[in-house]
Amino acid sequence: MESFNRSTIYDDLVNVTTYDIHLDNNSEISLNSLVCSPETSNDNGTELTGLAKFNVLYAGVHGYLSVVVCLFGIVANSVNIVVLTRKNMLSSTNVLLTWLAVADLFTMLSYFPFALHFFIFKEPDLYYFTTRYFGWICFLLFHASFSIVCHTVAIWITIALAIFRFLYIWFPTRGTTYCSLEKAKLAITLTIVSTIICLVPNYIVNVNGDMPYCDPKTNSNVIIHTIEYRSGGAFRVLENVNYWIQAVFVKLIPCVMLTILTVLLIVAMHRAYKKRMALKRRGKKAESDKHNEHNRTTLMLFTVVVLFLITEFPQGVLTLMSSLNKEYHSEIYENLGNLLDMMALLNNSINFVLYCTMSKQFRHTFIGIFCKCCPKNGPGWRKMGVVSSEKNGFATVTTHV
C-alpha cells in the first residue's frame, strides 16, 4: 500500500477531470493513478495516451480483481501465521516469515474495504478517491499511512530474511549464532519501530480536503471529500523530506539490497551444491542428504526474495525516473499505478502456495492442524516430532523441509 505522494486540486473544481493523486507504497500497494471518467479524452479534447487508455480500462476491473486477491490473501496469511507459530516450527527463519505474513495480512485487510468503496461501489458521478461520506475519507487517510507502513515492514523483513539465510549458508559453523532467535526478534522490532518513525512526514502531509460539487441528482451544491497533499510554506520542506524518504528508504535502497542479496544467495547456493556433490562422491550419503534439505529450504526462501524483487524493482526504477522527470511521473508512473498495486497484492498472497509446495514440514503441520480427518501415519508419511531450537538453532526449519 502506498501513501498519497501528491494531491493537486485545481482552482476550477467544476472543470477538473483529473486530480494528481497517488498512493505510493510497497505493499507497493498504492492508490495510484487517478482516473476521473471512463472517457477516452479529457475535457479539453486532448486524446488520451495509450497508457492512459489502459489505465481507464483497467480501473474498471481493478477493484474486483483486488477483492478476490485480498480475500485469498487474508485467508492464506492467517493460515501461515497459525502454522508458523506451532512449537515444532519455532526458529529464527519462521519468526521472520510469521511477521512477514502479519504485515501482508494487515496490508490486505486495509486494501479490501478501500477497493470495495473507492472502486467497486464508487458512485459513477464522482471522481476516483472522492466520496460524499466523511467517515470514508477518514478511512482513506488511515489507509494512506497504514498501508505504506505495513508494506515497508514487509520489504525490510524480506531483506532480513535474505541476510539471515546468506549468513547461515556462508558461515555454516557460526550461522546459528549469527541467526539466532533473539537476533530475529531484534531485527523485527527495529524494522517496525524505524519504519513508523521514518514515515512520520507521510502522516502529516496528507489531510482531508472538502470541495463544492454540483450534485446531478438534486442539481444542488454539496460538499464532497478527498485527500489533499499539504505543500507550500512550512510544508514545503516536509513535502521534500517525505518524497525522498519514500523514494530512498521505501524504494531504491530495498531494491538495491534485494538485488545484491539475490546474487549472493545464488553464489551461496552454488557453493553449497558443490559441497553436497563432493560429500556424495565420497560416499557420505547422510551428510549429503542433510545438505540437500538445507538447499531446499534456501531455494524456498530465495523464491520469496526473488518474488519481492520482481514486484519492487519496477517501482524502484519508475520512482527514480520520476524524480528526474516530472512528466514521466504523470504520464507513465501514475498510469501504471493500479497494475503495480495488483502485482504487490499477488506477491502478498502467494507465500502460502510456496510454503505448501516447497516445505514438507509446513505441509505436514498444516495438514495436522486443518485436516484432522487425514491419516497421520499413512503410506509415505513421516511422523513429525518437536525439534529443540536450542540444540539445533536455525537448522530447526531446514531439518524437515
Side-chain angles (χ1 to χ4, degrees):
M1 289 329 77
E2 297 193 38
S3 65
F4 275 98
N5 269 1
R6 179 182 176 84
S7 174
T8 302
I9 307 300
Y10 293 87
D11 292 333
D12 188 353
L13 296 173
V14 176
N15 295 326
V16 112
T17 60
T18 304
Y19 298 123
D20 185 15
I21 297 178
H22 178 66
L23 272 185
D24 276 319
N25 270 1
N26 58 126
S27 241
E28 27 218 299
I29 305 209
S30 60
L31 302 182
N32 292 312
S33 56
L34 180 63
V35 181
C36 296
S37 68
E39 304 297 331
T40 59
S41 64
N42 299 331
D43 283 358
N44 57 15
T46 304
E47 187 72 15
L48 295 177
T49 64
L51 279 178
K53 289 180 180 178
F54 166 78
N55 189 33
V56 170
L57 294 173
Y58 178 70
V61 299
H62 176 73
Y64 298 95
L65 294 176
S66 299
V67 164
V68 172
V69 174
C70 284
L71 285 175
F72 173 77
I74 289 170
V75 174
N77 283 297
S78 298
V79 171
N80 288 343
I81 295 169
V82 172
V83 174
L84 292 170
T85 52
R86 299 305 91 189
K87 287 184 178 180
N88 67 299
M89 301 291 288
L90 185 62
S91 71
S92 56
T93 297
N94 284 351
V95 168
L96 290 169
L97 291 177
T98 299
W99 281 94
L100 177 60
V102 170
D104 289 342
L105 174 63
F106 284 156
T107 295
M108 293 193 160
L109 286 174
S110 176
Y111 203 90
F112 180 76
F114 158 72
L116 283 177
H117 183 77
F118 291 96
F119 280 94
I120 295 178
F121 298 126
K122 183 188 79 70
E123 297 182 62
D125 60 304
L126 294 184
Y127 303 112
Y128 278 90
F129 314 136
T130 62
T131 180
R132 289 181 168 86
Y133 307 103
F134 180 74
W136 276 107
I137 208 62
C138 290
F139 166 77
L140 189 57
L141 283 168
F142 165 78
H143 173 75
S145 297
F146 181 73
S147 59
I148 190 174
V149 169
C150 293
H151 188 75
T152 305
V153 167
I155 292 173
W156 285 97
I157 287 179
T158 303
I159 292 172
L161 189 67
I163 293 173
F164 270 50
R165 195 59 191 174
F166 171 76
L167 292 176
Y168 182 74
I169 299 174
W170 202 259
F171 304 102
T173 58
R174 291 170 288 174
T176 53
T177 302
Y178 294 154
C179 308
S180 65
L181 197 60
E182 291 72 21
K183 286 185 172 61
K185 293 178 180 179
L186 178 61
I188 292 167
T189 303
L190 291 176
T191 296
I192 295 174
V193 172
S194 60
T195 299
I196 292 173
I197 294 174
C198 286
L199 293 176
V200 166
N202 186 72
Y203 317 147
I204 299 174
V205 295
N206 294 320
V207 65
N208 170 47
D210 297 335
M211 64 181 72
Y213 174 72
C214 183
D215 192 335
K217 298 177 183 178
T218 61
N219 200 29
S220 60
N221 289 328
V222 297
I223 297 296
I224 60 174
H225 309 282
T226 188
I227 290 186
E228 293 184 8
Y229 194 83
R230 288 170 169 163
S231 60
F235 292 102
R236 176 69 65 184
V237 175
L238 193 63
E239 178 185 4
N240 292 330
V241 170
N242 181 53
Y243 174 80
W244 285 108
I245 284 177
Q246 293 196 36
V248 176
F249 179 72
V250 180
K251 302 283 190 180
L252 300 180
I253 291 180
C255 284
V256 172
M257 291 189 67
L258 284 173
T259 302
I260 294 173
L261 288 167
T262 299
V263 174
L264 290 176
L265 280 174
I266 292 174
V267 173
M269 289 171 65
H270 180 66
R271 179 182 177 183
Y273 173 78
K274 290 196 298 183
K275 184 175 182 180
R276 184 170 68 87
M277 289 296 100
L279 290 171
K280 194 172 183 179
R281 285 193 297 268
R282 291 200 298 266
K284 299 181 178 180
K285 187 177 183 303
E287 291 187 43
S288 175
D289 291 342
K290 181 180 179 180
H291 278 278
N292 186 40
E293 298 293 342
H294 292 325
N295 291 342
R296 289 169 58 189
T297 299
T298 302
L299 180 61
M300 183 187 74
L301 301 179
F302 173 77
T303 305
V304 173
V305 174
V306 169
L307 287 176
F308 246 98
L309 179 60
I310 292 172
T311 303
E312 298 302 320
F313 192 78
Q315 294 193 36
V317 173
L318 289 173
T319 299
L320 178 61
M321 297 300 295
S322 298
S323 65
L324 301 175
N325 189 332
K326 296 300 180 184
E327 292 184 0
Y328 186 91
H329 180 272
S330 60
E331 293 177 4
I332 298 180
Y333 190 40
E334 291 185 0
N335 286 320
L336 292 176
N338 289 326
L339 182 62
L340 295 174
D341 282 2
M342 178 53 59
M343 290 175 59
L345 283 172
L346 288 170
N347 181 57
N348 289 348
S349 62
I350 201 173
N351 285 345
F352 170 75
V353 179
L354 294 178
Y355 302 158
C356 281
T357 55
M358 303 183 73
S359 172
K360 186 181 295 184
Q361 186 186 21
F362 183 94
R363 190 164 57 248
H364 286 180
T365 305
F366 168 77
I367 292 173
I369 296 173
F370 296 100
C371 304
K372 299 290 187 181
C373 58
C374 296
K376 294 184 178 180
N377 295 300
W381 288 65
R382 180 176 63 180
K383 186 175 181 180
M384 299 298 295
V386 177
V387 180
S388 171
S389 60
E390 293 181 1
K391 180 179 178 181
N392 299 291
F394 192 82
T396 302
V397 176
T398 61
T399 300
H400 302 293
V401 173

